[in-house]
Amino acid sequence: MQHFIQNPILPGFNPDPSVIRVGEDFYIATSTFEWFPGIRLHHSKDLVHWRLVGHALTRRDQIDMRGFNNSDGVYAPALSHADGKFWLTFSCTHNSRGGAWMSTPCFVVTADKIEGPWSDPIAIGGGGFDPSLFHDDDGRKWVVNMTWDGRAGHNKFGDITLQEFDAEHRKLKGPRIPVFSGTELGCTEGPQILKKDGYYYLITAEGGTEWNHAVTVCRAKNLFGPYELHPQKHVLTSRFQEDNPLQRAGHGFLVDTPKGEWYLTHLCGRPVYDPEAYGFGPKYGTGFSILGRETGIQKVEWRDGWPWLACGGNAPQLQVAAPDLQQHPWPQSSQYIDHFDEPTLSPQWQTLREPAEASWCSLSQRAGHLRLTGRHYLASRFDQSLLARRIEHHRMRAETRVDFHPESPMEMAGLVVYYDNTNYYFLKITSEDNGKKIVQVCASIAGAYSEPGGAGQKGEKAIIENSDPLYLRVTLDTQWYQFSYSTDGRHWANIGPRLNSTPLSDEYGNLIFKFTGSMVGIFACDVNEQGRYADFSHFSYQQLAEESTVGEPDTVQESVALEVVS
Ligand code: 6LW
């Protein structure tokens, strides 16, 4: 029976995939930017089913991103396996926002097992992001990198270069040798090298990570070139393919199966076309990638010493023939509930810029609960008590149950959908000046704070009489988020208007360098440092079926007074 791989294979914020095979196991590393722990590591036995096995950067002494701007941090890791161990290269980029001379310090970490522990980082210079390590069969290792050139009037994306890496002395040696300056598509980045049948194949991402994105292949008999371009230049792209559900296809690398079939993993996005933003008409280039950049895979065939998409042409396909391998499913992450009864946090969770520490995030202070002690507001780039996971589906529901006893409007806790520290929606439990406990929907779009309340934009609040705990829920139905709450977990009341999902996307606003994706999570704030904490007894995330609806109120429980406050 023919099996298929459904794209994307790593849904939600999982960009810049780097794939390898070690024996019968496939691994993909993806970028994490300002989220901690850094570098997601995924595992598969059949290329169809994938599971998250952990992260490479789990300690503050490996990476410290305090204060980093949105979408700074860990760019494009590249995974390899040689000398009996795993190697990962990455750049910890900062000052990228408007920074002609952005900082791109690059590092190597190693581990004997994919689950780690991963070593302390070894610095391998900067001068460009997206480094990879090529282990030649003569035993020499080369850092393959792009060059970032900040000079006015120059192509910011300079040459792809090779520089030798002396693993024994843990340092670079010799000059940086340019080998490829890219095609006219430009923005040449993400270089990785594969050696096969006497050729070195240099595979790069081109066109920028948005609508023009592509995978470009060239080859040479000699590592230093000259590199000749693939007859099709870009073996994969969704450029100008308005109706392709997989847009932004690019940044790929090749992997073979033990039986000799070949695949190309790649970045892609599934945009939402927002009629409120653009009306109707041609869609090309107008979508919003609310789930961020995801990972897809395509089947590849070799002809005349070149890789080609097996489907013909260079367009990504949603369904791809699976390899001839035993099917190997894992438990589904699309139906996920965390009861916070394990001693450590599930790897699904991420924090902002620094690790979760017991001083503010505790699984032990109250059995079966996650205790978040409030720190800074959600707009901060420091000290946020926030845990979030990726939104992987265009239709999903997340729920939590929380005990929280605020005594001031500056103390708040609740549920958040978060793109970055300027674009997020949240349902907060807080206190009024008169001490009444309320729940309220709040928004920050392009940094502008509001308390949306439907028609006339009056902030809608619900006063909660004698209810602890409270249940909070957010539902996404592609275009809209809707918050709701309950006092018993059975009867739910919608609160606030439906909220447009597209401002929480890579494409919203005029900023470039937006690289992450939407997350859903829980948070607590207490800027007065009163030690106010929120106890969460569970968090669930579930993919919803196509026919689900958002915005239809369920039964409102009688003991809950709803009021609209102007
Ligand atoms: C990454 C580059 C890219 O470093 O986007 O899509 C940059 N490709 O290769 C950020 O992910």
Side-chain angles (χ1 to χ4, degrees):
M1 186 177 124
Q2 174 65 57
H3 290 286
F4 289 93
I5 311 179
Q6 184 67 36
N7 277 318
I9 49 171
L10 304 177
F13 163 26
N14 275 304
D16 309 321
S18 171
V19 66
I20 56 165
R21 176 174 64 84
V22 181
E24 296 185 344
D25 297 282
F26 300 93
Y27 301 102
I28 293 179
T30 54
S31 304
T32 41
F33 301 92
E34 73 267 35
W35 291 91
F36 204 98
I39 308 182
R40 278 161 70 89
L41 299 166
H42 313 261
H43 173 223
S44 175
K45 291 269 194 195
D46 57 10
L47 293 179
V48 179
H49 305 93
W50 291 84
R51 61 170 180 158
L52 181 67
V53 285
H55 298 80
L57 307 175
T58 53
R59 309 185 299 274
R60 197 192 288 272
D61 58 11
Q62 288 172 307
I63 188 162
D64 186 356
M65 298 183 287
R66 269 173 66 79
F68 272 31
N69 211 335
N70 301 315
S71 291
D72 276 355
V74 178
Y75 272 34
L79 192 55
S80 54
H81 190 266
D83 314 330
K85 60 184 172 184
F86 291 93
W87 304 72
L88 260 174
T89 48
F90 63 97
S91 45
C92 179
T93 300
H94 48 107
N95 303 330
S96 66
R97 280 282 152 78
W101 293 105
M102 66 162 110
S103 310
T104 61
C106 298
F107 301 94
V108 180
V109 286
T110 60
D112 294 335
K113 292 187 302 194
I114 195 83
E115 298 85 1
W118 286 83
S119 70
D120 289 338
I122 302 166
I124 49 167
F129 45 83
D130 299 357
S132 65
L133 199 55
F134 172 63
H135 310 266
D136 207 346
D137 40 26
D138 61 3
R140 295 171 81 181
K141 299 186 190 303
W142 300 87
V143 173
V144 192
N145 207 352
M146 61 83 74
T147 305
W148 186 258
D149 186 344
R151 290 176 294 172
H154 283 250
N155 183 0
K156 297 266 179 292
F157 293 77
D159 292 325
I160 301 298
T161 62
L162 295 174
Q163 190 170 14
E164 191 162 7
F165 177 63
D166 179 342
E168 192 190 338
H169 298 101
R170 299 154 58 96
K171 60 177 193 195
L172 293 167
K173 76 176 186 199
R176 196 165 164 155
I177 304 161
V179 293
F180 181 57
S181 20
T183 72
E184 65 287 346
L185 195 53
C187 300
T188 312
E189 56 189 358
Q192 293 191 67
I193 289 177
L194 166 79
K195 192 169 186 185
K196 179 178 184 297
D197 302 332
Y199 275 110
Y200 295 90
Y201 292 88
L202 172 62
I203 297 162
T204 53
E206 290 204 288
T209 193
E210 297 182 337
W211 313 107
N212 290 334
H213 211 197
V215 175
T216 304
V217 174
C218 52
R219 72 179 184 192
K221 285 274 184 195
N222 183 302
L223 178 61
F224 304 105
Y227 280 87
E228 57 170 325
L229 273 169
H230 190 289
Q232 202 179 21
K233 282 191 208 168
H234 315 299
V235 298
L236 176 77
T237 185
S238 15
R239 205 168 172 230
F240 305 133
Q241 297 165 27
E242 174 169 291
D243 294 324
N244 196 321
L246 297 179
Q247 291 293 318
R248 311 177 67 173
H251 198 118
F253 200 61
L254 293 159
V255 68
D256 63 347
T257 70
K259 293 185 179 172
E261 293 178 89
W262 283 83
Y263 285 82
L264 172 75
T265 58
H266 63 92
L267 182 155
C268 58
R270 292 175 292 162
V272 167
Y273 295 94
D274 180 350
E276 289 197 350
Y278 289 103
F280 297 98
K283 293 186 298 190
Y284 185 72
T286 61
F288 295 90
S289 307
I290 62 168
L291 306 182
R293 300 171 304 155
E294 313 178 273
T295 290
I297 194 166
Q298 305 298 322
K299 191 163 169 55
V300 162
E301 286 170 1
W302 288 83
R303 287 197 302 277
D304 309 321
W306 291 109
W308 305 80
L309 291 195
C311 60
N314 59 6
Q317 308 292 307
L318 264 184
Q319 275 202 339
V320 172
D324 178 18
L325 292 173
Q326 182 76 35
Q327 292 278 298
H328 200 296
W330 311 104
Q332 290 290 307
S333 75
S334 57
Q335 308 292 333
Y336 166 85
I337 181 154
D338 194 335
H339 291 286
F340 300 122
D341 48 9
E342 300 286 334
T344 53
L345 277 177
S346 146
Q348 296 280 342
W349 291 111
Q350 297 230 250
T351 54
L352 280 163
R353 300 178 177 84
E354 59 175 352
E357 278 169 358
S359 57
W360 61 269
C361 177
S362 169
L363 285 161
S364 61
Q365 287 186 13
R366 182 172 167 193
H369 289 74
L370 177 88
R371 176 165 294 180
L372 289 183
T373 300
R375 296 186 300 162
H376 281 199
Y377 296 133
L378 294 169
S380 178
R381 287 187 269 122
F382 297 84
D383 298 332
Q384 283 171 302
S385 299
L386 177 149
L387 283 186
R389 56 153 284 154
R390 280 151 182 71
I391 299 178
E392 297 175 5
H393 308 93
H394 285 112
R395 293 180 175 78
M396 70 89 205
R397 172 170 293 168
E399 255 173 54
T400 192
R401 175 178 177 270
V402 56
D403 284 333
F404 184 53
H405 305 277
E407 291 183 5
S408 133
M410 283 73 194
E411 297 167 6
M412 56 186 84
L415 190 61
V416 61
V417 284
Y418 183 99
Y419 181 84
D420 62 20
N421 82 330
T422 61
N423 295 291
Y424 51 91
Y425 299 121
F426 60 108
L427 179 58
K428 69 177 178 189
I429 304 169
T430 188
S431 165
E432 300 268 64
D433 287 323
N434 60 12
K436 282 195 171 166
K437 180 168 163 178
I438 60 162
V439 281
Q440 184 177 25
V441 175
C442 306
S444 168
I445 296 301
Y449 174 75
S450 67
E451 295 173 355
Q457 290 295 295
K458 293 172 181 170
E460 185 179 0
K461 307 173 186 181
I463 296 173
I464 306 299
E465 313 274 10
N466 308 321
S467 178
D468 212 16
L470 262 186
Y471 295 77
L472 309 178
R473 177 192 268 181
V474 65
T475 310
L476 170 64
D477 194 354
T478 310
Q479 186 70 64
W480 305 107
Y481 287 108
Q482 175 69 57
F483 283 104
S484 46
Y485 72 99
S486 166
T487 54
D488 62 5
R490 287 181 296 119
H491 304 91
W492 290 85
N494 286 341
I495 181 164
R498 57 184 198 169
L499 300 160
N500 197 339
S501 64
T502 60
L504 275 53
S505 69
D506 296 0
E507 292 85 359
Y508 183 78
N510 298 321
L511 283 175
I512 55 168
F513 289 98
K514 290 179 73 178
F515 293 141
T516 55
S518 296
M519 309 279 282
V520 58
I522 50 183
F523 71 95
C525 311
D526 170 15
V527 288
N528 292 327
E529 299 182 13
Q530 298 300 299
R532 199 73 58 212
Y533 56 78
D535 284 343
F536 297 86
S537 63
H538 73 257
F539 179 94
S540 66
Y541 173 96
Q542 66 181 124
Q543 179 183 9
L544 295 180
E546 289 287 316
E547 61 273 10
S548 67
T549 53
V550 171
E552 288 178 14
D554 297 336
T555 324
V556 179
Q557 198 181 334
E558 278 163 22
S559 62
V560 177
L562 258 184
E563 66 169 12
V564 177
V565 183
S566 37

